[in-house]
């Protein structure tokens, strides 16, 4: 098992040589079924799968694939040139993350020209408009050593949490400007 995603009540399981579905049957003698959906579409990117409402997608050496629980097909055929830029030995370093606020999925991958197999390129997929883009992120300051490349190591979501401080209630602070002080 390389990756899995849940679509409604069906678990899509992407393996190294196949794609499987694990579903509830409501049969007390056999409550779950494990069925093979495809024996040729597979994934080799354990962190490269993304769930959408009707399908689960994954990245692999045989293409960007999607499974709806019944069939598996490639969804990158109209932009095959973007897929061919992924370093085929670096799929273990590919990451995918869906950003709903932007209607985008970012697929981070090591490019063909990157021998260090670090994520130096991103395929951007706008899943509402079904548009694609490729970019190379610049991260911080470029190192002086030309053999070191700018790279990301993973993608994810974060939460910024703040708490009130004494400075917020000072005369120039947020609450202080509204007439509130420390005792209030």
């Amino acid at each position: 098992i390389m990756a899995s995603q849940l679509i409604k009540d069906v678990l899509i399981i992407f393996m190294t040589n196949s794609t499987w579905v694990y579903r509830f049957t409501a049969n007390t003698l056999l409550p779950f079924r494990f069925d093979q959906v495809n024996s040729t579409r597979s994934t080799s990117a354990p962190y490269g799968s993304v769930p959408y409402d009707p399908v689960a997608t994954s990245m692999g050496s045989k293409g960007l694939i999607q499974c709806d629980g019944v069939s598996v097909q490639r969804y990158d055929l109209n932009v095959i040139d973007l897929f061919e830029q992924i370093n085929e030995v670096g799929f273990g370093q590919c990451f995918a993350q869906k950003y709903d606020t932007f209607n985008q999925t970012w697929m981070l991958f090591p490019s063909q020209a990157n021998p260090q197999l670090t994520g130096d390129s991103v395929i951007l997929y706008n899943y509402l408009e079904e548009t694609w883009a490729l970019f190379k992120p610049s991260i911080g300051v470029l190192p002086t050593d030309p053999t070191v490349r700018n790279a990301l190591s993973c993608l994810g979501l974060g939460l910024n949490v703040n708490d009130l401080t004494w400075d917020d209630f000072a005369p120039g602070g947020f609450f202080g400007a509204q007439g509130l002080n420390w005792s209030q």
Side-chain angles (χ1 to χ4, degrees):
I1 296 175
M2 292 299 287
S4 64
Q5 292 295 338
L6 193 62
I7 301 175
K8 298 178 184 162
D9 61 345
V10 176
L11 183 65
I12 307 296
I13 301 169
F14 297 102
M15 297 198 180
T16 54
N17 292 318
S18 57
T19 305
W20 293 73
V21 173
Y22 189 70
R23 71 177 81 225
F24 180 67
T25 64
N27 181 342
T28 56
L29 297 175
L30 186 63
F32 297 98
R33 279 185 61 158
F34 197 55
D35 296 317
Q36 186 175 19
V37 179
N38 191 293
S39 63
T40 59
R41 305 286 185 207
S42 61
T43 188
S44 43
Y47 312 107
S49 64
V50 174
Y52 299 94
D53 288 337
V55 296
T57 64
S58 191
M59 304 171 71
S61 57
K62 297 178 183 175
L64 303 180
I65 59 172
Q66 66 182 12
C67 179
D68 60 2
V70 177
S71 65
V72 181
Q73 53 256 0
R74 289 185 70 167
Y75 69 103
D76 65 340
L77 291 176
N78 58 345
V79 290
I80 195 77
D81 55 328
L82 293 180
F83 171 76
E84 290 175 350
Q85 294 186 31
I86 300 173
N87 191 324
E88 63 271 358
V89 296
F91 274 99
Q93 297 301 317
C94 292
F95 289 83
Q97 180 67 48
K98 181 177 159 190
Y99 297 100
D100 287 322
T101 54
F102 303 118
N103 301 323
Q104 295 176 349
T105 298
W106 288 30
M107 292 170 261
L108 174 67
F109 66 93
S111 66
Q112 289 287 350
N114 184 353
Q116 297 165 335
L117 302 180
T118 54
D120 64 341
S121 300
V122 175
I123 295 175
L124 230 98
Y125 175 57
N126 184 317
Y127 52 86
L128 287 184
E129 298 174 358
E130 295 186 14
T131 57
W132 301 80
L134 174 71
F135 78 96
K136 296 192 179 281
S138 63
I139 304 130
V141 178
L142 290 172
T144 56
D145 182 2
T147 62
V148 178
R149 300 175 57 97
N150 273 351
L152 296 170
S153 59
C154 65
L155 297 170
L157 300 172
L159 179 63
N160 188 8
V161 179
N162 295 352
D163 203 356
L164 296 177
T165 65
W166 286 110
D167 285 339
D168 293 328
F169 293 95
F174 178 77
F175 294 108
Q178 297 176 19
L180 298 173
N181 58 32
W182 293 324
S183 62
Q184 292 171 325

